[in-house]
Amino acid sequence: MKQMTFADAEYAGKRKQTRNELFLIEMDQVVPWRGLVALIEPHYPKGEGAVQRIR
């Protein structure tokens, strides 16, 4: 995530949050992301051993 500017920080307190932002905030509170990532990580491909294309 990029750093907020002073203008962004000032505007963030005044504007209404969108449905998407509210949904993402709620999902961060409900889902145990660290545990979920730790569960998936051993099975997720690491990108090693890929076949190189011939051009």
Side-chain angles (χ1 to χ4, degrees):
M1 188 170 146
K2 69 176 190 165
Q3 185 175 358
M4 288 182 110
T5 63
F6 289 115
D8 291 337
E10 184 178 345
Y11 182 66
K14 295 181 180 179
R15 69 181 181 87
K16 182 180 175 184
Q17 288 183 327
T18 64
R19 285 182 172 180
N20 187 35
E21 289 171 336
L22 292 172
F23 172 75
L24 292 175
I25 290 169
E26 186 176 340
M27 288 301 293
D28 282 338
Q29 294 173 353
V30 173
V31 178
W33 291 110
R34 290 183 186 187
L36 186 60
V37 169
L39 183 67
I40 294 172
E41 192 172 23
H43 305 286
Y44 195 78
K46 295 176 180 46
E48 299 171 355
V51 177
Q52 295 181 354
R53 288 196 282 171
I54 300 174
R55 292 184 185 195

